[in-house]
Amino acid sequence: GENVEQHPSTLSVQEGDSAVIKCTYSDSASNYFPWYKQELGKGPQLIIDIRSNVGEKKDQRIAVTLNKTAKHFSLHITETQPEDSAVYFCAAKMGSARQLTFGSGTQLTVLP
Amino acid sequence: DAGVTQSPTHLIKTRGQHVTLRCSPISGHKSVSWYQQVLGQGPQFIFQYYEKEERGRGNFPDRFSARQFPNYSSELNVNALLLGDSALYLCASSLAGQNYGYTFGSGTRLTVV
């Protein structure tokens, strides 16, 4: 089955700096890659996603890039703000699969 | 519009007991998935139900079961609870079985003592 590795496990940045979180996946058949933000006591919230026919997608301060050849994808957050502090999860899904396979999460802390 | 709603929010059970967790999907969503999230880890897939039928099952023992009702709400049942079942149980809904837009609820925090 699919295996998703995520790093770093923790990341601290100064407010206004950029943050980058990276994930690798094992199954070349995976074609959907969402990113979720999870705040304390809440469920994961979808912040951006990308499909395998696209190399990059941007939504305001958030962007995701996908390298299908290397089987890795990354989340980029620019101009970070304290409210960006949370745990971020990457995930992957094959088109025929019923489930998302999640990475182990990155605790992002934005220091004021 | 209401999002995915789960009940109860917190639950404490004793080893060996049985538990039922409930989920109501977003209106119009016909697929419900269940995930287990152990502290410090990413969610792990348990089940997916679509149109009241089980469409996928993760690597969980038979103590875990689920069902989906005609109104698309769902229940997750866990029998013979173990300490290791302590986790956040998340429900996610989507329009269809292989749809890409999964929306998660806030989860049920289960503690087994």
Side-chain angles (χ1 to χ4, degrees):
Chain A
E2 177 65 279
N3 182 51
V4 177
E5 294 189 357
Q6 180 173 350
H7 58 94
S9 56
T10 61
L11 178 61
S12 292
V13 299
Q14 290 294 137
E15 183 177 358
D17 287 351
S18 295
V20 180
I21 303 171
K22 299 181 179 181
C23 289
T24 59
Y25 60 98
S26 61
D27 196 323
S28 57
S30 289
N31 63 359
Y32 175 63
F33 307 92
W35 285 88
Y36 286 86
K37 174 184 181 182
Q38 188 172 26
E39 297 174 296
L40 201 60
K42 297 185 179 180
Q45 176 192 5
L46 179 68
I47 56 173
I48 195 167
D49 57 9
I50 192 169
R51 302 189 191 187
S52 59
N53 59 346
V54 176
E56 183 174 359
K57 183 177 179 180
K58 189 174 182 180
D59 182 4
Q60 299 183 343
R61 298 186 296 109
I62 295 174
V64 57
T65 58
L66 171 65
N67 183 325
K68 287 193 298 181
T69 303
K71 290 191 285 188
H72 66 69
F73 56 112
S74 300
L75 177 71
H76 305 252
I77 306 174
T78 59
E79 301 173 16
T80 54
Q81 302 167 3
E83 51 265 39
D84 293 329
S85 295
V87 179
Y88 290 81
F89 290 97
C90 63
K93 177 183 176 299
M94 291 186 292
S96 61
R98 301 292 178 176
Q99 71 270 25
L100 294 170
T101 300
F102 283 84
S104 54
T106 297
Q107 174 69 63
L108 174 65
T109 302
V110 180
L111 304 169
Chain B
D1 282 343
V4 177
T5 57
Q6 293 187 242
S7 64
T9 55
H10 296 83
L11 201 53
I12 299 176
K13 289 286 190 177
T14 304
R15 278 178 298 175
Q17 285 188 317
H18 162 270
V19 69
T20 298
L21 311 180
R22 295 177 175 82
C23 171
S24 293
I26 290 173
S27 178
H29 284 193
K30 299 182 178 180
S31 175
V32 169
S33 299
W34 287 94
Y35 286 78
Q36 180 196 64
Q37 186 177 23
V38 174
L39 198 61
Q41 297 181 18
Q44 297 288 319
F45 174 73
I46 310 175
F47 286 111
Q48 189 199 57
Y49 276 77
Y50 176 59
E51 290 285 11
K52 301 178 289 294
E53 292 186 5
E54 181 183 307
R55 301 301 182 108
R57 184 184 184 113
N59 188 24
F60 280 81
D62 292 343
R63 299 184 295 107
F64 289 76
S65 64
R67 56 179 175 168
Q68 186 176 34
F69 298 99
N71 66 352
Y72 303 108
S73 67
S74 177
E75 285 183 354
L76 175 69
N77 296 283
V78 187
N79 292 323
L81 285 167
L82 304 174
L83 295 179
D85 295 331
S86 296
L88 180 67
Y89 288 85
L90 295 162
C91 174
S93 76
S94 61
L95 280 169
Q98 293 184 22
N99 189 266
Y100 298 99
Y102 296 90
T103 301
F104 283 83
S106 293
T108 294
R109 172 68 64 186
L110 173 65
T111 301
V112 182
V113 297

